[in-house]
Amino acid sequence: IITAGTTVTATLPTASSIVGTAIGFLISGAGMITIAQGTGQQIRFGNQTTTSGATGTLTSTAQGDALVLICTTAASGSAGFWQELNSQGNWTVV
């Protein structure tokens, strides 16, 4: 639960080796959240996919935005694929 008054960056786990691992975010404060990724990681959000690697991000746009991601591809190290399982609000996909 993000309660900060400024934008917070959360980085996906570097070892997403367990298919089905889920993580969630809820924007409760005035700040936003940017979800960053590591080398080889990507997030599928609806019909969009983030840029592969460290330059790809997913960013909330308003208080009340919420997101649940689930690991869909087992990978060792920093590679891995995450899928939006559920979301509320408009998220910016880069």
Side-chain angles (χ1 to χ4, degrees):
I1 299 174
I2 309 304
T3 59
T6 59
T7 299
V8 172
T9 299
T11 304
L12 291 174
T14 56
S16 54
S17 59
I18 302 173
V19 171
T21 298
I23 54 175
F25 307 91
L26 170 64
I27 314 309
S28 182
M32 300 300 119
I33 186 169
T34 295
I35 301 169
Q37 356 173 116
T39 302
Q41 291 182 322
Q42 281 187 283
I43 302 169
R44 178 173 289 138
F45 187 84
N47 65 350
Q48 301 177 70
T49 304
T50 59
T51 302
S52 180
T55 59
T57 60
L58 200 56
T59 303
S60 64
T61 59
Q63 187 174 15
D65 284 356
L67 176 68
V68 176
L69 298 174
I70 190 164
C71 177
T72 59
T73 303
S76 59
S78 60
F81 204 89
W82 294 81
Q83 170 76 44
E84 167 228 359
L85 180 63
N86 195 0
S87 66
Q88 178 167 326
N90 297 309
W91 290 76
T92 302
V93 179
V94 175

